[in-house]
Amino acid sequence: MDKTDIELLEKIAGLHSIPEGSFNIRKNGERLAGNSTSEIEIVPKTDKSGIDVIVKAGVVNKSVHIPVILTAGNFHDTAYNDFYIGEGADVTIVAGCGIHNPAKGTAEHDGIHTFHLSKNSRVKYVERHYARGNGESRQVFDPVTTVYLDEGAYLEMDTTQMGGVTYTERKTYAEVGNGAKLIVKEKLFTENEEKAISDFCVVLKGKNSSADIVSRSVARDKSVQEFRSDMRGENECFGHVECDGILLDGARIISTPKIDAASPDASLVHEAAVGKIAGEQLVKLMSLGLTETEAEEAVIKGFLN
Amino acid sequence: MLELKQIYYSVPQKNSDKRKYILSDINLQFPDGTTTVITGHNGSGKSTLVKLLMGIEKPESGKILFNGEDVTDKNVTERAKEGFTIAFQQPVRFKGITVKNLIDMASKKNCCPKDACEFLSAVGLCAVDYIGRPVDDTLSGGELKRIELAVALAKGGSVFLLDEPEAGIDLWSFDELVKLFDALKDKTLIIVSHQNRILEAADRIIVLNSSEKPLCGTRDEILPQISSGEGYCCKIRNNN
Ligand SMILES: Nc1ncnc2c1ncn2[C@@H]1O[C@H](COP(=O)(O)OP(=O)(O)OP(=O)(O)O)[C@@H](O)[C@H]1O
Ligand SMILES: [Mg+2]
């Protein structure tokens, strides 16, 4: 691992050294380091690039790190990762990808992830995307996440895009079973001419299933963001989608909601608000001695905290 | 000494070219180390006056002098740095910014729990319960008002502008609030209030009235006039 690798790993996974327990570090499409334990098994796929992460039933308070780094330009990396979470398990999965693109071309990472959560299992999934280029290069992420939540399962997805990503199109599909719960906290920051699309499709299949999707985004300069959500309630269920965006400069945010109460017992809510930073917020912080620019930064930092 | 000289402030009127005057020919003085309570009917221009003093609104004409220096054209940030500190009538809510973040920004340092506790306990809040709370719509109205005051204390300064600090604060805590004002009595303290208890704590009282000149004097001069109804809200409002 060189200095760039270490910097990227720290940025996206908060790692300062090789983690304990199960982990897998992928660099430029190859496995750089890894460890598999009996509780959380990591098995490289044989038919395509990627891993199976198998968490045994009843394993609790464990975490697994699976960061990806890309330091080559003109490189398209696709990883197929499948997660099988055993009954009653409770784990944290730290994923994420950092791109350092030294070339003129495109560096792209597409994580194709599928989660299978067994009965009453709980997962906190944390994913950070970060990239840096050189002004002439493109850094792209096109992740696809598919989620199956069995009875009573719980998944919290915290996803953050920190900047430097020229283009992203994120697709998330989820099926939520009886009494299961999906929580998504998405944070997106775009600047310059960047474009980000986030597309959710959630089907609340089970009785008393629920989903809470909150997207907070900040768009700067001439960047464009599109938030699409499609939520269908097929049973007695509760779903909430919220898109909250701050616009700066000449940026643009498009939010397209769709809620479909396919069952008369479904209760679905959609909220969206996009606009500039409220003037009173800036004035309050300026009255504490901050300049307008500092106040703006403080509001954004808090918003995306 | 803080002084207002011939201050005029107006807002555009709907369906008319004429402007509506909120403040006309206001001349007031706030000597150092005095507590002045500004009162007057709803809409008489109290909050507007406070915002003019803070540099949030600009007067149409007239001057604001601070220790002899003309600060009329100084903006909010500059006035904050000169020692002006405001607690708003309606404190703003944020998303994601915590009580600690605000106290840190106000005090310009990374406050340890002990520092934060000093400011929060002065407004009757227990620091451990509030320090990590986001300043958003999960806070009650009274809690938000108290935090607004704590942040003003954390900032410090020489001129404190407190707009209806007692609003939403339960009656049982009035003594604490008066104690807090007492601790600021060596500053130029300007409080907007309708409460007798607070008027009684004033050195000077100003009664704003949109239809005539403000009434201004020592507490003992003004209080009897307010209680007899002279010069106060009972007058029919006519501000066109
Ligand atoms: N931008 C504006 N446009 C129109 N009218 C305004 C504007 N700003 C203030 N006003 C009016 O100015 C008057 C004074 O407002 P201000 O908030 O200063 O009153 P106040 O004395 O603080 O009242 P209160 O006791 O209700 O807090 C009010 O009649 C208000 O409606
Ligand atoms: Mg007011």
Side-chain angles (χ1 to χ4, degrees):
Chain A
M1 272 197 272
D2 60 26
K3 199 168 141 272
T4 306
D5 298 350
I6 292 167
E7 270 173 31
L8 289 175
L9 284 173
E10 163 150 31
K11 255 300 215 228
I12 58 164
L15 286 179
H16 304 281
S17 57
I18 294 291
E20 281 174 30
S22 297
F23 71 93
N24 188 77
I25 302 174
R26 180 184 174 97
K27 179 183 174 184
N28 298 336
E30 308 277 333
R31 181 182 173 126
L32 184 70
N35 186 40
S36 175
T37 63
S38 63
E39 291 182 313
I40 304 179
E41 227 182 311
I42 296 185
V43 186
K45 281 190 192 299
T46 46
D47 55 335
K48 51 191 170 188
S49 188
I51 50 174
D52 286 339
V53 176
I54 303 152
V55 179
K56 287 236 170 73
V59 171
V60 297
N61 290 330
K62 287 277 163 15
S63 63
V64 51
H65 287 79
I66 50 157
V68 173
I69 50 180
L70 220 65
T71 55
N74 294 314
F75 194 86
H76 188 156
D77 177 32
T78 305
Y80 296 85
N81 298 336
D82 293 322
F83 303 84
Y84 299 92
I85 316 297
E87 208 173 306
D90 185 348
V91 294
T92 300
I93 300 170
V94 182
C97 178
I99 299 181
H100 169 83
N101 188 353
K104 279 194 181 164
T106 300
E108 172 162 354
H109 172 75
D110 302 339
I112 316 295
H113 290 179
T114 306
F115 290 86
H116 304 267
L117 271 71
S118 308
K119 245 174 142 178
N120 300 324
S121 63
R122 294 173 70 90
V123 171
K124 179 168 176 166
Y125 175 74
V126 184
E127 180 199 272
R128 290 198 200 128
H129 281 169
Y130 166 77
R132 54 192 191 205
N134 49 42
E136 293 177 84
S137 59
R138 277 171 62 79
Q139 294 75 243
V140 178
F141 289 100
D142 287 336
V144 179
T145 309
T146 310
V147 174
Y148 300 101
L149 298 182
D150 204 341
E151 199 176 322
Y154 171 98
L155 173 66
E156 179 182 327
M157 281 177 68
D158 289 3
T159 64
T160 308
Q161 177 174 313
M162 299 189 281
V165 180
T166 325
Y167 181 87
T168 192
E169 181 164 3
R170 166 187 290 280
K171 287 201 165 82
T172 309
Y173 174 82
E175 285 182 11
V176 188
N178 287 337
K181 186 168 189 162
L182 172 69
I183 308 254
V184 177
K185 296 179 190 165
E186 177 180 69
K187 284 169 188 157
L188 261 175
F189 175 81
T190 54
E191 59 190 340
N192 304 320
E193 312 253 311
E194 293 168 7
K195 175 154 191 178
I197 301 169
S198 183
D199 201 334
F200 285 92
C201 178
V202 177
V203 187
L204 294 163
K205 288 204 157 184
K207 192 171 157 68
N208 293 324
S209 58
S210 64
D212 188 14
I213 294 172
V214 178
S215 170
R216 282 198 175 169
S217 62
V218 174
R220 264 215 144 100
D221 306 317
K222 286 178 152 178
S223 63
V224 178
Q225 297 186 10
E226 263 188 79
F227 179 81
R228 302 185 203 126
S229 67
D230 178 351
M231 188 177 272
R232 193 161 76 241
E234 296 184 345
N235 210 321
E236 188 181 329
C237 62
F238 179 74
H240 172 244
V241 187
E242 186 180 327
C243 166
D244 209 341
I246 292 182
L247 280 176
L248 298 155
D249 316 304
R252 180 173 176 194
I253 298 178
I254 305 154
S255 174
T256 317
K258 179 175 161 192
I259 46 182
D260 175 2
S263 154
D265 295 322
S267 165
L268 305 174
V269 181
H270 178 268
E271 297 173 84
V274 169
K276 286 203 179 72
I277 297 177
E280 311 93 78
Q281 294 185 343
L282 294 179
V283 167
K284 175 69 214 175
L285 298 184
M286 286 161 75
S287 81
L288 301 178
L290 275 66
T291 63
E292 190 168 349
T293 316
E294 288 166 347
E296 203 176 274
E297 273 158 18
V299 170
I300 292 171
K301 194 171 159 215
F303 187 71
L304 295 177
N305 75 3
Chain B
M1 169 91 92
L2 178 61
E3 265 179 291
L4 294 173
K5 288 198 161 165
Q6 296 175 329
I7 291 289
Y8 285 80
Y9 180 80
S10 66
V11 291
Q13 252 174 325
K14 266 207 185 113
N15 313 322
S16 162
D17 299 340
K18 279 200 208 143
R19 295 178 68 87
K20 174 181 154 188
Y21 277 85
I22 312 292
L23 299 169
S24 312
D25 196 19
I26 299 292
N27 295 282
L28 293 169
Q29 297 188 335
F30 303 93
D32 293 350
T34 57
T35 299
T36 308
V37 174
I38 304 177
T39 191
H41 64 74
N42 292 135
S44 57
K46 304 178 296 296
S47 297
T48 306
L49 184 68
V50 160
K51 286 180 189 163
L52 285 168
L53 287 171
M54 192 67 213
I56 295 166
E57 303 290 347
K58 292 265 172 292
E60 199 168 290
S61 62
K63 276 190 185 348
I64 301 171
L65 303 178
F66 181 49
N67 296 333
E69 183 202 359
D70 186 348
V71 295
T72 321
D73 291 327
K74 293 210 162 163
N75 67 22
V76 193
T77 309
E78 289 165 330
R79 277 193 231 190
K81 287 182 173 159
E82 286 228 7
F84 287 68
T85 299
I86 188 169
F88 286 92
Q89 181 176 4
Q90 278 158 332
V92 53
R93 296 173 196 265
F94 295 89
K95 280 186 176 163
I97 291 183
T98 63
V99 173
K100 176 164 167 39
N101 294 150
L102 283 185
I103 289 181
D104 285 355
M105 281 186 248
S107 62
K108 300 244 171 310
K109 61 177 187 202
N110 184 0
C111 281
C112 65
K114 202 170 134 270
D115 299 332
C117 184
E118 182 193 325
F119 306 126
L120 288 168
S121 58
V123 298
L125 295 178
C126 173
V128 284
D129 294 344
Y130 287 94
I131 194 79
R133 294 266 311 258
V135 183
D136 61 13
D137 47 19
T138 59
L139 288 169
S140 78
E143 288 169 335
L144 190 67
K145 281 296 271 188
R146 286 169 189 257
I147 287 162
E148 182 78 358
L149 282 175
V151 171
L153 292 178
K155 178 180 173 296
S158 48
V159 178
F160 281 81
L161 308 162
L162 311 180
D163 197 348
E164 301 202 18
E166 83 287 358
I169 292 197
D170 48 83
L171 279 170
W172 291 272
S173 306
F174 260 59
D175 288 338
E176 279 175 51
L177 204 60
V178 172
K179 234 191 268 166
L180 191 154
F181 301 153
D182 207 48
L184 295 173
K185 73 167 182 255
D186 58 327
K187 315 278 185 189
T188 306
L189 180 57
I190 302 171
I191 306 170
V192 175
S193 178
H194 302 283
Q195 279 295 330
N196 252 325
R197 290 280 295 280
I198 292 174
L199 286 161
E200 279 161 11
D203 300 316
R204 301 170 56 78
I205 294 174
I206 295 168
V207 186
L208 283 190
N209 188 325
S210 40
S211 58
E212 43 193 86
K213 286 224 174 300
L215 198 63
C216 174
T218 64
R219 177 192 55 215
D220 296 338
E221 285 164 6
I222 307 291
L223 263 187
Q225 298 187 45
I226 295 178
S227 36
S228 70
E230 276 175 71
Y232 197 45
C233 329
C234 340
K235 291 212 171 153
I236 293 165
R237 207 176 140 206
N238 172 16
N239 50 359
N240 293 316

